[in-house]
Amino acid sequence: MATTDPKHRGTWNSKIGFILAAAGSAVGLGNIWGFPTQVADNGGAAFILIYLICCFIIGFPVMVAELTIGRKTQKNPVGAFKALSNGNPFVPLIGYWGVLCGVMILSFYVVISGWTLAYVFEELFYFFNYDAAAAYVGDLGNGVKNSIFTLFFMILTVLVVTGGVSKGIERATKLLMPVLIGILLILIVYIFTLEGAREGIVMYFRPDFSTINPDLLLSAMGQAFFSLSLGMGALITYGSYLNKNQNIVESAAYVTIFDVGIAVIAGLLVIPAMYVAQAGGVNIMDPVTGALHSSTTLVFDVLPEMFHNVGGLIGLLLGVTFFLLLGLAALTSSISLLEVPVSYVIDEHGLKRKKAAWIVGGLVGIVSVVVSFELGLIDIFVSIFNEVGLPLGGLMICLFLGYFWKGENALLEMENGNEGVSNSSFSKIWIIFIKFISPILIAIVLFTTIWGLIKS
Ligand code: TRP
């Protein structure tokens, strides 16, 4: 039962603090590793276009919905749906599903984040010619080493979350986000000066519409939900710490634009970097399929080889800052994943924040150690909890808001900090999206995929 006094749950200190925290949650491995990889895999600019449509047509309305539910109830996702359920026992299941997705996504997210930290060391060891040490930390298949870095990253995440909303999460993201953007821009400017970069830029913006198929649509939608941190209540939770004079629609717009912008900019780093690697003699295509290398191979094979080719102090600086960039982006995201189950335990089971963070962090840590040894689980978890789980959560949030809680009530909450919004044309369009367009699009893509899985 709800035991914490809402006044003591904490609130964001400033408008920009919240926007940076939400943008920090959004900008993560999904942007810098996931998005460029998917672009490379799925027909370049054709994927970018579909991704943008998914973000603005499906993602943005759902983000407004999550923030509104959170601020109205001032609770974690489970508590929030309970509070608005009118006693209907099925409604809180949306919240439980979200908490489960968050926990499972976090359990593999920290493993990949651990790799980024390990590669900071890999670059250092390589520079100092400690080849054996470099090979050791660079070995993604080493379960023991993976566990060490994974748990270290988990501890960092727990430490931020124990600090609380404004002193932990807000302060950390306010510090880290500008650093992250600075590093990203510096890296891009430098990469552009290297041989091969131009070819990458051309590739990046050349659309190949022949690759569009239901699979690609699901990937784009899954990627949009993942990147915007939607569908599992992370933004219900962040919204629950908003004060009543913040304009939800405007904040959501900033966060969406920021996240999409960083993804597109990160592509300007990663794709040209691949072609720089190719100019340096690295093989960037799969010899069998002819497709560009992606995901793990791209980030942890192709790019390090490119940094090594550049060589010397500059190669070292490029490599170290790139992996630090990934690590920082991952940290501001993993804290939002952990905050969801932690706020659930605090609100619903009355634990103190510190205890809640260590217990939940410890339990997820155990799962992540299993994942560290059984890397095949990552793909399985991505399919279930990210590609299907998040859109499914988003679908249920739309249906809940549109048909159960009702748009008028949501708009009434949105009036706080945005007077007149209920009568604006925005609100009319938004309701149509929440009730019809977003859920129908999500449902079509989900059913096509599930149907495809059953048939195969
Ligand atoms: N958005 C993050 C990324 O792009 C990942 C993430 C953080 C997330 N919190 C989330 C994904 C909540 C889904 C739900 O890397």
Side-chain angles (χ1 to χ4, degrees), residues 53-67:
I53 296 174
C54 287
C55 284
F56 287 102
I57 288 199
I58 308 178
F60 171 67
V62 174
M63 186 183 291
V64 171
E66 283 203 25
L67 291 174

Side-chain angles (χ1 to χ4, degrees), residues 312-374:
L313 200 58
I314 296 203
L316 171 73
L317 282 175
L318 277 179
V320 167
T321 38
F322 176 77
F323 287 112
L324 271 180
L325 167 78
L326 267 182
L328 291 182
L331 182 62
T332 57
S333 298
S334 62
I335 53 187
S336 80
L337 284 162
L338 182 62
E339 178 63 19
V340 174
V342 167
S343 72
Y344 161 69
V345 174
I346 296 174
D347 290 347
E348 307 300 308
H349 297 283
L351 258 66
K352 289 262 182 303
R353 175 169 280 277
K354 221 177 185 162
K355 205 167 163 191
W358 284 108
I359 290 178
V360 177
L363 291 175
V364 181
I366 294 173
V367 184
S368 67
V369 168
V370 176
V371 179
S372 296
F373 283 90
E374 289 297 330

Side-chain angles (χ1 to χ4, degrees), residues 25-31 105 109 225-230 232 234 259 333-334 336-337 390:
S25 160
V27 174
L29 296 174
N31 301 60
I105 290 176
Y109 202 84
F225 271 92
F226 186 81
S227 187
L228 294 169
S229 301
L230 295 173
M232 44 106 11
D259 182 62
S333 298
S334 62
S336 80
L337 284 162
L390 297 177

Side-chain angles (χ1 to χ4, degrees), residues 187-305:
L187 283 173
I188 290 177
V189 169
Y190 188 77
I191 288 286
F192 275 18
T193 65
L194 299 178
E195 194 196 329
R198 187 170 302 228
E199 198 187 334
I201 299 169
V202 172
M203 257 306 288
Y204 186 48
F205 288 116
R206 190 171 49 207
D208 175 4
F209 288 101
S210 69
T211 56
I212 297 181
N213 58 36
D215 257 5
L216 182 141
L217 295 179
L218 184 80
S219 301
M221 197 168 74
Q223 174 67 21
F225 271 92
F226 186 81
S227 187
L228 294 169
S229 301
L230 295 173
M232 44 106 11
L235 289 173
I236 294 181
T237 312
Y238 274 24
S240 75
Y241 307 129
L242 272 175
N243 63 35
K244 294 277 182 190
N245 52 29
Q246 187 129 339
N247 183 333
I248 287 182
V249 179
E250 185 192 73
S251 306
Y254 281 134
V255 175
T256 307
I257 292 169
F258 195 93
D259 182 62
V260 170
I262 296 281
V264 173
I265 293 173
L268 280 177
L269 169 66
V270 174
I271 306 283
M274 287 184 86
Y275 283 82
V276 172
Q278 186 181 43
V282 180
N283 191 354
I284 64 169
M285 315 272 184
D286 186 309
V288 182
T289 63
L292 282 173
H293 278 317
S294 57
S295 64
T296 328
T297 323
L298 164 61
V299 175
F300 297 114
D301 278 345
V302 174
L303 295 184
E305 266 197 75

Side-chain angles (χ1 to χ4, degrees), residues 49 65 88 101 123 131 146 180 198 214 217 236 266 276 327 382 389 427 434:
L49 193 71
N88 182 319
C101 285
E123 292 296 302
D131 291 345
N146 286 345
L180 190 143
R198 187 170 302 228
L217 295 179
I236 294 181
V276 172
V382 167
S427 72
I434 286 293

